[in-house]
Amino acid sequence: MRSEMTFKRLGEIVDAYGASPARWPEAERPAAEALLAVSAEARALVEEAGRFDALLDMAPAGVPSAALAGRLMAARPRPAAPSGRPVAPRRRATGILGALLETVWPYGSPAFPAGALAAALVLGLALGSTSNISLLQPETSVAAASGDQTGEGLIALAMADQAWPEEWMQ
Amino acid sequence: MADRRLEILRGAGFGRRSRLDEAGMFPMPAHARGNIRLEQPSDDELVAAVASGDEAACRALMDRHLTRILVLARRMLGNQADAEEVAQEVFLRVWTHADRWEPGQARFGTWLHRVATNLCLDRLRKNRPTDDIDEMPDLASGDPGPHRQLEQRELAARVDAALQALPERQRAAIVLSHYQGLGNLETADILGVTVEAVESLLSRARRQLRLSLATEKDDLLRSDKVSAS
């Protein structure tokens, strides 16, 4: 910390921080102001810097637009949402069947998985009865039916029936 | 903790109006209403209330700081649109990080200035300025004349152009010190340099501005003398 202020040092301070003592380094301010009080030369230096400060203060400042304030208020944090309706306690299953069901399906009512299973079964039966699904294609069936075909022939026939993408073969 | 601060805020008059006041039965002038508040909430208290989603606290924090941050960005970037984008980004960060703000660790105002300054410096680095002293707007006329308001605008534009022509860190130093009125320790903290480095940046900035604005300084002096006579 400087205990005394020289004219040279005051010049450096004014060159950097301008004329207002409020902007000067706090530790040196009292000594600088003491020098100002006794030195006309120091006062002239600060007055000249004050005129330059006035010119700098002409730089445009701007004010926030209403749209900016509106956008910020729209994006502000919101209070935490109140917790939803209280969840009703689950009814405990009763009896041996209930206990068994709860062991198999502990996630609530077993009606949903049971219903889904039944629906899948019905759909499968319906599809099976209405569609002509055969494991073997007609040519393959013919080939399989002829007893004089060798095993190699069957394999060749099966391979010929498959379409291999060209890029797999490269 | 935040709830307690929120209560302090509400006790200070934030976030609610009295029923009498709402009903218009007890109209009071603004200055009289202001006297009822015992103490303005601190920035830390406001930030804690913001984290709780308190609308009045958000508005109070914006009222207190938004203009200062916008002005900082305006003088750093030289145009209103970019300044608004930076100010918006600064406050969106406040909204996002309010719940993580630790009171006492740093001054909220200093933190705001640091975030705004860094965002401005990032923008300036991405869009290196093409401004040059030679490209500064010309004064329409050297005559003082009757159009003093026009002259003032022209002078303002010249000062702005000179400011924008400064190297980024010199500009940041003079904006923080001269225009925002921050002390040398706070400016050094925000820029991440020593106080000696801040003084050096400021000296170089003002020297450059003096050179750039020598004509304008004479014009200003001349118009002051004319208006005084």
Side-chain angles (χ1 to χ4, degrees):
Chain A
M1 184 184 294
R2 291 164 196 266
S3 58
E4 65 180 57
M5 180 62 53
T6 62
F7 183 77
K8 180 173 178 289
R9 176 58 191 156
L10 181 66
E12 289 170 357
I13 290 174
V14 171
D15 271 350
Y17 300 97
S20 171
R23 296 189 181 103
W24 295 351
E26 207 175 326
E28 295 176 280
R29 199 179 302 152
E33 287 180 313
L35 179 61
L36 271 186
V38 297
S39 167
E41 198 180 4
R43 285 195 296 275
L45 181 80
V46 171
E47 278 168 21
E48 200 279 328
R51 285 191 286 276
F52 185 62
D53 283 356
L55 180 63
L56 291 185
D57 288 339
M58 296 183 81
V63 289
S65 67
L68 172 63
R71 286 195 300 275
L72 286 172
M73 284 308 287
R76 72 181 190 276
R78 308 284 167 161
S83 55
R85 286 179 302 171
V87 179
R90 271 176 54 196
R91 220 169 23 165
R92 299 288 303 170
T94 53
I96 297 172
L97 186 62
L100 183 67
L101 274 172
E102 189 160 312
T103 307
V104 175
W105 184 259
Y107 309 109
S109 170
F112 180 76
L117 203 62
L121 186 65
V122 169
L123 192 66
L125 285 173
L127 273 174
S129 62
T130 56
S131 308
N132 182 21
I133 300 173
S134 172
L135 289 174
L136 297 171
Q137 295 298 314
E139 309 88 66
T140 318
S141 303
V142 171
S146 59
D148 54 349
Q149 292 282 349
T150 63
E152 285 177 1
L154 281 173
I155 291 168
L157 198 59
M159 292 291 283
D161 193 42
Q162 295 184 28
W164 292 91
E166 284 185 10
E167 59 268 26
W168 287 16
M169 308 299 287
Q170 290 171 356
Chain B
M1 190 72 173
D3 290 344
R4 195 181 66 78
R5 288 204 188 92
L6 198 56
E7 287 307 310
I8 293 170
L9 270 180
R10 295 201 184 288
F14 279 82
R16 73 172 181 193
R17 296 169 65 203
S18 75
R19 287 181 184 171
L20 286 176
D21 193 22
E22 281 176 348
M25 295 171 69
F26 194 38
M28 294 169 72
H31 68 272
R33 282 199 299 270
N35 289 340
I36 289 175
R37 292 175 187 164
L38 295 175
E39 194 182 334
Q40 290 286 333
S42 70
D43 282 345
D44 288 343
E45 288 166 343
L46 282 178
V47 174
V50 164
S52 311
D54 187 88
E55 182 181 345
C58 293
R59 202 173 290 283
L61 207 61
M62 279 170 50
D63 286 349
R64 196 177 284 181
H65 294 288
L66 181 58
T67 301
R68 259 173 80 71
I69 294 303
L70 180 95
V71 168
L72 181 158
R74 169 67 184 79
R75 285 177 170 146
M76 281 294 291
L77 301 173
N79 73 80
Q80 180 77 9
D82 286 353
E84 291 221 345
E85 280 183 21
V86 165
Q88 177 172 309
E89 176 63 28
V90 171
F91 272 82
L92 288 179
R93 289 188 186 192
V94 174
W95 296 165
T96 308
H97 300 300
D99 58 341
R100 278 176 275 163
W101 177 254
E102 293 183 20
Q105 292 290 312
R107 275 189 60 222
F108 180 71
T110 306
W111 181 82
L112 279 184
H113 275 81
R114 180 183 296 120
V115 173
T117 304
N118 287 338
L119 286 172
C120 288
L121 288 172
D122 285 348
R123 270 179 184 250
L124 291 169
R125 281 170 195 143
K126 280 176 194 161
N127 314 309
R128 288 283 176 192
T130 54
D131 289 347
D132 191 88
I133 295 292
D134 297 335
E135 293 175 12
M136 289 202 306
D138 291 328
L139 289 175
S141 164
D143 300 331
H147 308 295
R148 184 157 170 77
Q149 204 174 3
L150 183 63
E151 280 182 9
Q152 297 277 321
R153 279 207 298 270
E154 286 168 354
L155 274 174
R158 299 277 293 182
V159 175
D160 196 25
L163 202 56
Q164 300 310 311
L166 286 177
E168 292 143 14
R169 292 183 74 77
Q170 289 181 28
R171 196 185 321 166
I174 202 149
V175 166
L176 292 171
S177 172
H178 181 83
Y179 292 109
Q180 301 296 108
L182 303 185
N184 57 346
L185 295 173
E186 205 171 3
T187 303
D189 181 29
I190 289 168
L191 293 178
V193 297
T194 63
V195 287
E196 289 80 11
V198 166
E199 194 167 311
S200 170
L201 285 168
L202 287 171
S203 294
R204 282 181 282 152
R206 287 177 72 95
R207 202 175 305 137
Q208 181 60 51
L209 288 170
R210 275 176 187 279
L211 284 172
S212 308
L213 297 169
T215 314
E216 286 73 14
K217 192 164 153 249
D218 293 341
D219 287 342
L220 183 69
L221 284 174
R222 196 170 58 227
S223 62
D224 281 350
K225 279 177 189 164
V226 167
S227 53
S229 60

